[in-house]
Amino acid sequence: MFVENNRKEIDRIDDEILQLIIQRNLLSDDIIRCKLDNGLDVLDKEREYLLINSLIDKFKDKINQDEIKKVYSSILYYSKLKYYQEIEKTNQETIEKSKLPFIIAGPCSVESEEQIFSIAKDLSQLNIKYLRGGAFKPRTSPNDFQGLGSIGVQYLRDAAKYYNMNMVTEVMSSQQLLQHYNDIDIIQIGSKNMFSYQLLKDIAEINQKNKKPIILKRNFNATIKEFIYAAEYILKEGQEVLLCLRGIRTFEQIDSNLRFTPDLASIRELKNITKLKVIFDPSHSTGNADYVEDISKAALQLGADGLMIETHFNPQESIVDAKQTINYETLNHIITFLDEIKYAQ
Ligand code: PEP
Ligand code: MN
């Protein structure tokens, strides 16, 4: 029968594809070893772009470009996985061990592989250890950019691994978390989902064995008690939850340049009534890059254990949340301030 014959042929081709990938990995292992022996950078993005683009040029009439990009970004990632795991082993830093307060920085959204690698490189040079970036974006309008999805998580993961950072990204469903569990270092639950109790339960269950840190963002309409109850859904499973304040809705922003009202006093309140780490998001809470530096400093003064700040090499160019995104210069001011607090301790 035609179907069976085709299936047989497909099985044979699949064997062949995997044999070829194995051969490819062996060759690439040799190159990695040689680069390491000679003190060279293992990752050569330029070579990877050339490789993928020349395949697209050659085959674009017969196979979808995105398919080529997806398949090859996986092949290239897995060919370097052993190397990534090696640096992770020698250099892993968890939130628990790292000195507080810490900064999570990165763009609102992962926009492309080039964008996130470039930002990761710059931030790691500023000694930032936590890289954020949204791939699944909870946008108010279904007509707006919804994020790159799975491929965006992969780009973020690759960039974070390469620059030895931990990555933070939001998931909006348990399927997304299951699909990307191994890619994600710190799981973010967004403000809009703080009240999605089934999602909180599902995430806690999926994360029960490995207990990766979870950042839970306060819903902009939530009381402090509701926020803590939401955290308790996850804490029931004995997991590490970081409470993230990100501004609430009041009358303030109706006719002002604020997107939300920074809930700064709640840092003190949450630290008084819980043992959890409390981090502050000056970007969403103000919606205005001009205020981010001052609000960050205020949050640190009030005892925040960390900040989550939207940062981009060219903020105005950001696809999402351009108005509240800061540049490296502003970020540097905040880092300097944070260092002063650390040294004064
Ligand atoms: C974010 O941090 O990417 C985000 C979407 O923020 P929030 O959930 O606080 O709106
Ligand atoms: Mn944002």
Side-chain angles (χ1 to χ4, degrees), residues 245 247 258 260-264 267 280-302 304 307 309 334 337:
L245 295 163
L258 284 162
F260 292 94
T261 302
D263 37 357
L264 283 163
I267 296 172
F280 200 85
D281 172 348
S283 312
H284 292 87
S285 63
T286 60
N288 187 331
D290 291 343
Y291 302 154
V292 166
E293 183 178 335
D294 286 340
I295 295 294
S296 296
K297 290 177 179 171
L300 291 171
Q301 292 276 21
L302 287 163
L307 297 170
I309 312 177
I334 300 167
F337 184 85

Side-chain angles (χ1 to χ4, degrees), residues 59-84:
F59 293 100
K60 64 174 180 283
D61 299 332
K62 298 195 182 99
I63 178 168
N64 185 301
Q65 290 196 25
D66 285 345
E67 195 174 340
I68 301 180
K69 268 194 203 155
K70 272 198 181 163
V71 168
Y72 270 85
S73 77
S74 266
I75 290 179
L76 293 169
Y77 170 72
Y78 282 102
S79 69
K80 294 186 295 288
L81 188 63
K82 257 189 275 166
Y83 162 73
Y84 286 145

Side-chain angles (χ1 to χ4, degrees), residues 207-246:
N207 192 41
Q208 190 170 15
K209 188 162 154 248
N210 292 290
K211 297 188 173 40
K212 298 189 179 195
I214 298 177
I215 291 178
L216 177 66
K217 298 192 84 173
R218 180 185 186 181
N219 181 275
F220 39 79
N221 293 317
T223 65
I224 287 292
K225 213 170 202 172
E226 287 167 337
F227 189 21
I228 290 174
Y229 280 144
E232 281 179 8
Y233 271 95
I234 306 161
L235 289 165
K236 252 173 102 175
E237 314 286 349
Q239 308 189 28
E240 183 183 7
V241 176
L242 293 100
L243 299 172
C244 181
L245 295 163
R246 45 78 73 216

